[in-house]
Amino acid sequence: MSRPVSSRTVYDTLNAAILKGELKAGDKLSEPAIAAELGVSRAPVREAIRRLQERGLVTHVANQGVRVIAPTLPQFLHLLDVREALEGMAARLAASEMTERELAELTDLVDEHGVALRAEPQGPYNQHDRDDDFHVRIARASRNPVLADLLCDQFYPRLFLCRQKHGAVKGRGLEAWKEHLRILNALQERDGEVAELQMRRHVRSARAALIAANAG
C-alpha cells in the first residue's frame, strides 16, 4: 500500500514549478486541479499553498483565488534594498568560513560563467541550477543557517519571479560577472570587509541598472 503524499512533497513540486517558470507570475493555483494532477487529497495541497504564501511566492487575490505573485518594479527594488544588507553579511562571513574546496569550486564556476558571457557579451547571466548559483553558494558558505534560509528559501525565489516579470537588463550579464570576479577575489584573500563591500556594490549596481532600464 502506497504512503500518502505529504504537504512537503506537494510544496517542493509547486515550488520547483515556480522556479523553473512552469508556473509563471499571475498563474492561478487551483486546489482541486493540483490535487487531481498529483493524485492527492486537497489537504496537503492547501498546506503547501499556505507555505508558499508565507514565503511570498503566491498571494490570494480577491475574487480570483490564489495566484503566483506578479511583483511590481517598486517591490523588486525594495527586495534589492534588503538583499544588499543580507548578501553583504553573507559575503563577509563566507570570507572566513568557506573551505578551500568551496573556494576552488566557486572559482571554477565563475570561470565557466565568464567563458559563456565573453562569447556573448550582450547575453544574460543565466544561472538556472540553484547549485550552480554564485549567490546561493556564498549564502550557504556563510555557515549561518538563519541567514542562508532567509536568502535561499525566501529571497532568491522571489527575486527569480521579479526577474521573470521585469526581464533582464541588456548587457548587464557581463558587468555582473566582472563584479562576481571582484567578490571572488576578496573571498580568496579571506578579506571579509572587502567581500562585503564588493557584494553591496554588486547589488546596488543591479538596482541602478534596473531603474535605468525601466526609466520613462
Side-chain angles (χ1 to χ4, degrees):
M1 185 174 180
S2 61
R3 299 175 60 185
V5 177
S6 68
S7 62
R8 175 72 196 197
T9 300
V10 178
Y11 167 81
D12 289 342
T13 300
L14 294 176
N15 186 61
I18 291 172
L19 296 184
K20 291 178 181 177
E22 296 167 0
L23 285 172
K24 301 185 182 302
D27 282 356
K28 183 176 181 178
L29 273 65
S30 166
E31 278 186 26
I34 294 170
E37 181 179 347
L38 299 179
V40 301
S41 68
R42 292 178 62 173
V45 175
R46 188 177 303 115
E47 174 63 16
I49 289 176
R50 183 190 66 78
R51 293 186 62 194
L52 289 170
Q53 191 166 4
E54 286 179 348
R55 280 164 171 71
L57 295 180
V58 303
T59 186
H60 187 276
V61 181
N63 302 317
Q64 296 184 37
V66 177
R67 294 182 178 275
V68 178
I69 61 165
T72 63
L73 180 60
Q75 288 173 331
F76 194 176
L77 296 176
H78 292 325
L79 202 60
L80 289 175
D81 287 339
V82 179
R83 183 190 183 192
E84 179 189 331
L86 293 181
E87 291 217 60
M89 184 189 304
R92 174 169 53 81
L93 294 173
S96 60
E97 296 296 329
M98 289 187 86
T99 65
E100 290 300 322
R101 178 176 179 177
E102 286 173 327
L103 270 172
E105 291 175 346
L106 188 64
T107 300
D108 289 342
L109 183 69
V110 172
D111 287 344
E112 291 174 11
H113 293 165
V115 171
L117 286 163
R118 285 194 295 268
E120 189 179 355
Q122 295 302 309
Y125 197 145
N126 291 321
Q127 299 188 90
H128 298 303
D129 188 336
R130 280 170 64 87
D131 290 332
D132 283 341
D133 186 285
F134 179 82
H135 294 274
V136 168
R137 290 199 180 195
I138 291 176
R140 289 173 175 167
S142 73
R143 299 294 185 270
N144 184 311
V146 176
L147 181 58
D149 178 69
L150 280 171
L151 285 169
C152 298
D153 293 338
Q154 298 187 45
F155 268 77
Y156 294 151
R158 293 171 70 181
L159 284 167
F160 175 84
L161 285 175
C162 286
R163 292 194 189 99
Q164 187 184 78
K165 184 172 187 293
H166 297 284
V169 178
K170 187 176 181 180
R172 171 63 190 156
L174 186 58
E175 289 304 311
W177 174 77
K178 292 177 181 177
E179 291 159 11
H180 282 188
L181 196 57
R182 296 187 191 106
I183 296 167
L184 175 63
N185 289 338
L187 293 173
Q188 291 170 331
E189 293 294 326
R190 301 292 186 177
D191 193 327
E193 290 186 8
V194 174
E196 178 171 10
L197 174 64
Q198 293 295 350
M199 181 65 82
R200 282 179 171 270
R201 285 179 173 173
H202 171 55
V203 177
R204 284 199 297 268
S205 293
R207 191 182 191 281
L210 184 64
I211 291 173
N214 285 272

